[in-house]
Amino acid sequence: MAYASPSSGAALYFWKQLSPSTPHRLAAGTAFGMTDTGTVRPSNEDNFLIDAGLGLVAVADGMGGHESGEIASAEALTSLAHYLRAATDPDSGALAPNFRASPFDPESTDPDAIWGEETLASMVTLHEAVEFVNQRMYQTNLAARRGDGGGMGTTLTGVWQAEPGAPLLVFHVGDSRLYLYRAGELTQLTRDHTMYQDAVDAGATENLPPRNLLLQAIGPSGDVLPELHIQAVQPGDLYLLCSDGLYGATADERIAAVLADARPGQLGDCCKELIATALHDGSRDNVTVVLFHCD
């Protein structure tokens, strides 16, 4: 999709990294994130958020032009955190948004009936949160008279642990990715919401669409169908969240080779190495990586 910059106030926005590039201690383990503008683009439209209190780790890759993409990624992440905080912590002071989500059956994310009612209730909350973020950005586009898909948008991918000891709840819209590195094997846990991926899944091998044509994102449409599933936590698991600036240039095998050396105290060095590898491999995009190592 191509998104044009909205006219209201974009020039007044200055990009700010939402979470510092330092170790963050969460209930399930340690997280570290880093983002780089890269060597080609004039600005960074990526961002990431690590909220230890919420148990939330997420990345967003904004679209819509210079300031517009910067705003979209940051607002999606902060709106998501606000909704989850208001929904789960009545003492936080966060006001619960006046919002009604579309019907959602949490049992669709638990086909083997493994998880209890608390986990499924948290999945409903997460679904509502992603829909709220989308509706909020879509309404902003409508107000700027860009509700036809020409407004700002962003990917949104991450994990949320609703309470200590609970499983990780995965959410995903767009083409940022979540990987799991476990027992020496790298597994992609999310599916790219792109025309290219649809064509590959349909068996096409020739005349494939460009890789960056999204089928859905946060903001351009009033309707969004987030990918949601439940991920059991195992000690030693290493999760990688990244924008397409990493995997678009660097093969999974090279990513896995870097992750093989990751330890809780070395996550920052691994983030640096992943970004350096992507740039060395010719990435022409912003590059964002977040590593989450489970105890």
Side-chain angles (χ1 to χ4, degrees):
M1 295 181 180
Y3 305 112
S5 176
S7 59
S8 57
L12 300 179
Y13 182 83
F14 296 96
W15 182 88
K16 179 181 178 181
Q17 185 172 308
L18 293 178
S19 296
S21 292
T22 57
H24 297 258
R25 183 63 191 171
L26 289 81
T30 303
F32 195 108
M34 190 173 294
T35 185
D36 193 280
T37 301
T39 60
V40 177
R41 292 186 178 271
S43 62
N44 195 345
E45 298 183 359
D46 289 1
N47 220 316
F48 68 89
L49 179 68
I50 303 172
D51 190 317
L54 274 177
L56 177 66
V57 182
V59 300
D61 180 354
M63 298 158 286
H66 176 23
E67 296 92 346
S68 204
E70 297 173 0
I71 295 171
S73 58
E75 290 197 353
L77 293 166
T78 54
S79 294
L80 179 72
H82 176 87
Y83 190 98
L84 293 176
R85 186 172 291 108
T88 59
D89 184 2
D91 297 326
S92 67
L95 298 177
N98 183 15
F99 170 73
R100 177 173 294 180
S102 61
F104 171 69
D105 178 12
E107 293 184 3
S108 64
T109 64
D110 185 26
D112 298 323
I114 296 174
W115 304 104
E117 292 185 2
E118 290 185 357
T119 296
L120 298 185
S122 296
M123 187 61 85
V124 172
T125 299
L126 181 60
H127 175 264
E128 293 174 347
V130 176
E131 282 211 345
F132 167 74
V133 173
N134 182 68
Q135 275 295 326
R136 188 171 187 270
M137 192 167 297
Y138 179 62
Q139 293 301 321
T140 299
N141 284 332
L142 285 179
R145 298 184 178 181
R146 295 185 181 272
D148 57 355
M152 64 181 175
T154 183
T155 70
L156 184 63
T157 301
V159 294
W160 176 48
Q161 187 179 42
E163 58 184 20
L168 297 181
L169 307 184
V170 176
F171 56 94
H172 169 64
V173 178
D175 68 346
S176 296
R177 287 184 180 178
L178 172 66
Y179 291 90
L180 168 62
Y181 186 78
R182 175 187 287 173
E185 182 176 349
L186 184 67
T187 304
Q188 182 181 333
L189 298 182
T190 52
R191 178 183 179 276
D192 299 340
H193 298 155
T194 61
M195 293 180 64
Y196 177 88
Q197 190 62 55
D198 268 14
V200 170
D201 290 347
T205 58
E206 297 180 353
N207 300 318
L208 293 171
R211 291 176 178 266
N212 63 344
L213 296 179
L214 293 182
L215 293 173
Q216 67 167 349
I218 296 292
S221 169
D223 297 316
V224 67
L225 295 173
E227 176 184 329
L228 301 170
H229 59 88
I230 304 170
Q231 181 72 24
V233 178
Q234 292 189 18
D237 281 352
L238 180 62
Y239 292 89
L240 164 65
L241 297 94
C242 64
S243 62
D244 61 343
L246 174 65
Y247 71 79
T250 300
D252 284 359
E253 293 77 11
R254 285 172 61 77
I255 294 174
V258 175
L259 298 183
D261 296 326
R263 301 293 183 272
Q266 301 170 321
L267 298 183
D269 291 338
C270 287
C271 285
K272 289 180 182 178
E273 187 173 353
L274 286 169
I275 290 175
T277 300
L279 298 180
H280 178 270
D281 290 345
S283 178
R284 297 178 57 83
D285 205 346
N286 310 139
V287 185
T288 298
V289 296
V290 180
L291 294 176
F292 181 24
H293 188 281
C294 297
D295 295 339

